[in-house]
Amino acid sequence: MRTKEDIKQLLDSLQSASDKDLKFNEEKIYKAYEKSDNQQSLAIKILSIFGGIMASCLFIAFLFITGIYDSEWGLLILGIPIIIFGALITKVTDNILLDTVSISAYIIGFVLVGAGLLQMETDENLVSMIFILIAVSALFIVRSYLISFISVLIICGGFLFLIMSNKSFDLIHIYISLLALILTFIYLKEAKLITFNKAFSQLYDSVRIALIFCFLAGLYLLGKNYRLDYIGGYSFEYLGISSLVIILAILYVISHLFEMLNIKKNEHKYAIYALSVLILLPTIFAPAISGAILIILLSFLVNYKTSLVIGVVAFIYFVSQYYYDLHYTLLTKSIVLFCSGILFLGLYFLTHKKLSSDEKI
């Protein structure tokens, strides 16, 4: 943690480096830094989420042991206030213990409301839509990192449930395509979204990482096509829809990488585009692989290390999953893996060359 002396030294350096007379409010700068320094790290937030989930499971088990599941109205009357309590308690203060209590209450409330509605023989699709509406409302009313994270997961999970329960498996391509476009927009317009509105800036981090997990969940289901085949399956000919959207998103991200890597000549750009298309075309049979590549490129572009690690792990997993997929021949798998390897080697040498030139400067 920086001291006042460190901050003052930094401000003095900025003043000496500027030709104009700069004025700084040192006290406000120090307080702002102290506040950001005290914010919980992502690891602590993740632990809070898992702690809340475990606590929720234990509490729900206790409630069902007491026999509350026999009364559907009892479940609803208890569940709705618990959801409200869990969502609004974070407005009181920002504390690790309260975060865990908030997540626990929020999840418990959804479970109780869902159990109550199902016992009243409410249609599963209607229950899913109710969950989505509640989560959307909480997302815009409560600007808490953890509540926003869980709400986005519930929203996307609700849409996935609607797709699966109605056996409309081809719609998963639309789901994946939309998330690929939304993630590309969010990453590339990061600065504008954060500065556009205070609410966006408060929700940005949690929504971004939650969308990554939702995107990967869709890719996982799409990659596990033998599991989908078991419950009904999707039309294999529509596989190219999500792949094409992801590949176009990757090419769009590459266009933004040109500026970062200082690539200005059009012939170089066209050559990179052509090579990228040739390399990515084989992945049209494996959108999970191209989806992981998209996450890696977006994370590299904005220097977001958390999703970069997630993207790399997902890429390794999807490559392994794809290798053991019996829908494709060994030759097709070899081509996809070979092209993916060339893409990453090309990205490495391109960035390495750029970094080396910067070091020389």
Side-chain angles (χ1 to χ4, degrees):
M1 177 178 173
R2 292 181 182 269
T3 62
K4 287 187 177 181
E5 290 74 17
D6 295 327
I7 294 176
K8 183 172 178 55
Q9 184 179 1
L10 177 61
L11 297 179
D12 291 339
S13 300
L14 293 173
Q15 179 65 67
S16 61
S18 176
D19 298 331
K20 299 180 180 180
D21 184 25
L22 301 177
K23 294 183 179 180
F24 304 100
N25 191 325
E26 297 182 15
E27 285 299 322
K28 285 190 175 181
I29 293 174
Y30 178 74
K31 288 180 180 178
Y33 181 86
E34 187 178 36
K35 182 179 179 180
S36 64
D37 192 65
N38 287 331
Q39 292 293 318
Q40 301 163 14
S41 66
L42 180 62
I44 296 298
K45 291 173 180 176
I46 291 175
L47 288 175
S48 297
I49 291 172
F50 281 108
I53 292 173
M54 294 300 296
S56 302
C57 292
L58 291 174
F59 186 71
I60 291 169
F62 169 75
L63 289 177
F64 277 80
I65 289 173
T66 60
I68 193 173
Y69 59 87
D70 292 330
S71 172
E72 58 269 18
W73 283 108
L75 291 171
L76 288 175
I77 292 173
L78 184 60
I80 294 174
I82 289 179
I83 291 177
I84 297 172
F85 170 77
L88 298 181
I89 191 175
T90 53
K91 285 184 170 291
V92 178
T93 182
D94 188 14
N95 182 273
I96 297 177
L97 179 60
L98 283 180
D99 282 342
T100 306
V101 173
S102 172
I103 291 299
S104 302
Y106 196 61
I107 296 172
I108 290 169
F110 271 101
V111 173
L112 295 180
V113 169
L117 290 174
L118 290 175
Q119 284 200 28
M120 296 173 68
E121 298 184 354
T122 307
D123 183 68
E124 292 180 349
N125 294 332
L126 180 59
V127 174
S128 182
M129 291 301 300
I130 291 173
F131 275 23
I132 291 173
L133 290 175
I134 295 174
V136 169
S137 302
L139 184 63
F140 286 99
I141 295 174
V142 185
R143 296 166 190 172
S144 162
Y145 184 100
L146 297 177
I147 294 296
S148 301
F149 179 84
I150 296 296
S151 296
V152 173
L153 294 183
I154 291 173
I155 293 169
C156 294
F159 284 117
L160 277 178
F161 178 81
L162 289 173
I163 292 172
M164 305 297 286
S165 65
N166 290 284
K167 300 188 182 301
S168 303
F169 303 115
D170 292 327
L171 291 179
I172 196 169
H173 299 292
I174 306 299
Y175 170 90
I176 291 173
S177 300
L178 287 175
L179 280 184
L181 295 176
I182 292 171
L183 280 172
T184 303
F185 175 79
I186 287 177
Y187 271 81
L188 297 183
K189 302 298 181 182
E190 178 180 14
K192 290 184 179 180
L193 288 175
I194 291 176
T195 57
F196 175 74
N197 186 278
K198 184 179 179 181
F200 284 130
S201 64
Q202 292 174 329
L203 295 174
Y204 180 80
D205 288 335
S206 57
V207 170
R208 178 176 60 176
I209 191 65
L211 287 175
I212 288 289
F213 284 111
C214 295
F215 183 54
L216 290 175
L219 293 175
Y220 172 80
L221 289 175
L222 195 60
K224 285 284 187 182
N225 44 39
Y226 67 83
R227 181 174 297 177
L228 291 180
D229 287 340
Y230 176 75
I231 58 177
Y234 56 81
S235 301
F236 192 73
E237 58 267 21
Y238 294 123
L239 190 63
I241 295 176
S242 51
S243 296
L244 182 61
V245 172
I246 293 173
I247 289 173
L248 291 175
I250 290 174
L251 295 177
Y252 185 65
V253 174
I254 289 175
S255 69
H256 283 73
L257 285 172
F258 289 151
E259 184 178 352
M260 175 185 290
L261 301 174
N262 199 26
I263 299 173
K264 298 180 180 179
K265 294 184 178 180
N266 288 331
E267 54 267 27
H268 292 168
K269 293 181 180 179
Y270 296 147
I272 292 173
Y273 279 135
L275 183 61
S276 299
V277 170
L278 288 175
I279 292 173
L280 289 171
L281 272 180
T283 65
I284 200 166
F285 302 107
I289 294 178
S290 55
I293 293 174
L294 176 62
I295 294 174
I296 293 171
L297 290 178
L298 287 171
S299 305
F300 173 78
L301 183 64
V302 301
N303 194 28
Y304 185 31
K305 296 179 181 178
T306 303
S307 64
L308 179 62
V309 173
I310 293 173
V312 171
V313 173
F315 177 79
I316 295 172
Y317 172 77
F318 288 137
V319 166
S320 303
Q321 183 189 74
Y322 176 76
Y323 185 78
Y324 290 102
D325 194 334
L326 300 179
H327 284 82
Y328 309 104
T329 64
L330 187 60
L331 178 61
T332 305
K333 297 176 184 178
S334 300
I335 293 173
V336 173
L337 298 178
F338 178 76
C339 292
S340 300
I342 290 178
L343 178 65
F344 279 99
L345 286 175
L347 181 63
Y348 168 77
F349 285 117
L350 193 64
T351 55
H352 182 70
K353 182 179 179 181
K354 173 60 181 173
L355 292 173
S356 300
S357 61
D358 288 342
E359 289 172 359
K360 292 177 182 177
I361 294 173

